[in-house]
Short mmCIF file of all heavy atoms in Angstrom, two decimals:
data_model
loop_
_atom_site.label_atom_id
_atom_site.label_comp_id
_atom_site.label_asym_id
_atom_site.label_seq_id
_atom_site.Cartn_x
_atom_site.Cartn_y
_atom_site.Cartn_z
N LEU A 42 47.98 12.02 -1.43
CA LEU A 42 46.76 12.75 -1.80
C LEU A 42 46.26 13.69 -0.81
O LEU A 42 45.87 14.83 -1.10
CB LEU A 42 45.65 11.57 -1.93
CG LEU A 42 45.83 10.70 -3.10
CD1 LEU A 42 44.93 9.45 -2.95
CD2 LEU A 42 45.73 11.34 -4.36
N MET A 66 37.88 13.73 2.76
CA MET A 66 36.94 13.38 1.73
C MET A 66 37.62 13.31 0.41
O MET A 66 37.47 12.38 -0.36
CB MET A 66 35.87 14.44 1.70
CG MET A 66 34.79 14.25 0.52
SD MET A 66 33.69 15.63 0.30
CE MET A 66 34.88 16.89 -0.34
N PHE A 67 38.53 14.35 0.01
CA PHE A 67 39.14 14.31 -1.30
C PHE A 67 40.02 13.06 -1.42
O PHE A 67 40.02 12.50 -2.43
CB PHE A 67 39.95 15.59 -1.38
CG PHE A 67 39.17 16.89 -1.61
CD1 PHE A 67 39.36 17.95 -0.76
CD2 PHE A 67 38.26 16.88 -2.58
CE1 PHE A 67 38.59 19.06 -0.96
CE2 PHE A 67 37.48 18.01 -2.86
CZ PHE A 67 37.64 19.17 -1.95
N GLN A 68 40.67 12.74 -0.24
CA GLN A 68 41.66 11.60 -0.26
C GLN A 68 40.79 10.34 -0.62
O GLN A 68 41.20 9.44 -1.46
CB GLN A 68 42.30 11.53 1.05
CG GLN A 68 43.22 10.35 1.22
CD GLN A 68 43.79 10.22 2.62
OE1 GLN A 68 42.94 10.43 3.64
NE2 GLN A 68 44.93 9.92 2.76
N THR A 69 39.61 10.16 0.14
CA THR A 69 38.77 8.98 -0.06
C THR A 69 38.23 8.90 -1.35
O THR A 69 38.10 7.86 -2.00
CB THR A 69 37.69 9.00 1.04
OG1 THR A 69 38.31 9.12 2.39
CG2 THR A 69 36.71 7.79 0.89
N MET A 70 37.74 10.12 -1.94
CA MET A 70 37.11 10.05 -3.34
C MET A 70 38.11 9.61 -4.40
O MET A 70 37.89 8.68 -5.19
CB MET A 70 36.62 11.49 -3.63
CG MET A 70 35.35 11.81 -2.93
SD MET A 70 34.75 13.53 -3.21
CE MET A 70 35.67 14.16 -4.57
N HIS A 71 39.42 10.01 -4.26
CA HIS A 71 40.39 9.61 -5.18
C HIS A 71 40.75 8.18 -5.10
O HIS A 71 40.78 7.43 -6.12
CB HIS A 71 41.72 10.51 -5.02
CG HIS A 71 42.68 10.31 -6.16
ND1 HIS A 71 42.66 11.16 -7.25
CD2 HIS A 71 43.70 9.46 -6.41
CE1 HIS A 71 43.59 10.85 -8.03
NE2 HIS A 71 44.24 9.74 -7.47
N LEU A 72 40.88 7.76 -3.92
CA LEU A 72 41.15 6.34 -3.62
C LEU A 72 40.00 5.34 -4.16
O LEU A 72 40.25 4.31 -4.72
CB LEU A 72 41.54 6.04 -2.17
CG LEU A 72 42.90 6.66 -1.65
CD1 LEU A 72 42.93 6.49 -0.22
CD2 LEU A 72 44.01 6.10 -2.50
N SER A 73 38.81 5.87 -3.91
CA SER A 73 37.55 5.07 -4.38
C SER A 73 37.51 5.00 -5.97
O SER A 73 37.14 4.02 -6.49
CB SER A 73 36.35 5.53 -3.76
OG SER A 73 36.10 6.76 -4.24
N VAL A 74 37.96 6.04 -6.54
CA VAL A 74 37.91 6.05 -8.08
C VAL A 74 39.02 5.05 -8.58
O VAL A 74 38.70 4.26 -9.50
CB VAL A 74 38.16 7.40 -8.65
CG1 VAL A 74 38.48 7.47 -10.09
CG2 VAL A 74 36.98 8.31 -8.38
N GLU A 75 40.17 5.05 -7.95
CA GLU A 75 41.18 4.05 -8.24
C GLU A 75 40.65 2.59 -8.18
O GLU A 75 40.92 1.79 -9.00
CB GLU A 75 42.40 4.24 -7.42
CG GLU A 75 43.28 5.39 -7.72
CD GLU A 75 44.57 5.41 -6.98
OE1 GLU A 75 44.76 4.62 -6.03
OE2 GLU A 75 45.21 6.50 -6.97
N LYS A 76 40.01 2.32 -7.05
CA LYS A 76 39.41 0.91 -6.77
C LYS A 76 38.43 0.57 -7.77
O LYS A 76 38.35 -0.45 -8.27
CB LYS A 76 38.99 0.94 -5.30
CG LYS A 76 40.02 0.81 -4.30
CD LYS A 76 39.39 0.74 -2.95
CE LYS A 76 40.54 0.96 -1.90
NZ LYS A 76 39.98 1.07 -0.55
N GLY A 77 37.61 1.61 -8.11
CA GLY A 77 36.48 1.34 -9.09
C GLY A 77 37.12 1.17 -10.49
O GLY A 77 36.62 0.23 -11.19
N ALA A 78 38.20 1.84 -10.82
CA ALA A 78 38.80 1.62 -12.14
C ALA A 78 39.47 0.10 -12.24
O ALA A 78 39.33 -0.43 -13.19
CB ALA A 78 39.94 2.69 -12.37
N GLN A 79 40.07 -0.33 -11.02
CA GLN A 79 40.69 -1.55 -10.96
C GLN A 79 39.60 -2.62 -11.11
O GLN A 79 39.71 -3.60 -11.87
CB GLN A 79 41.37 -1.77 -9.73
CG GLN A 79 42.65 -1.00 -9.57
CD GLN A 79 43.29 -0.95 -8.26
OE1 GLN A 79 42.75 -1.46 -7.25
NE2 GLN A 79 44.46 -0.41 -8.16
N ARG A 80 38.37 -2.42 -10.51
CA ARG A 80 37.37 -3.35 -10.68
C ARG A 80 36.84 -3.44 -12.13
O ARG A 80 36.59 -4.55 -12.73
CB ARG A 80 36.14 -3.04 -9.76
CG ARG A 80 36.40 -3.41 -8.33
CD ARG A 80 35.05 -3.36 -7.48
NE ARG A 80 34.40 -2.02 -7.60
CZ ARG A 80 34.59 -1.08 -6.72
NH1 ARG A 80 35.45 -1.07 -5.78
NH2 ARG A 80 33.97 0.03 -7.03
#
Side-chain angles (χ1 to χ4, degrees):
L42 294 169
M66 179 195 64
F67 289 126
Q68 179 187 40
T69 302
M70 286 178 8
H71 191 94
L72 292 172
S73 67
V74 168
E75 283 181 7
K76 289 178 186 173
Q79 290 169 352
R80 283 193 308 267

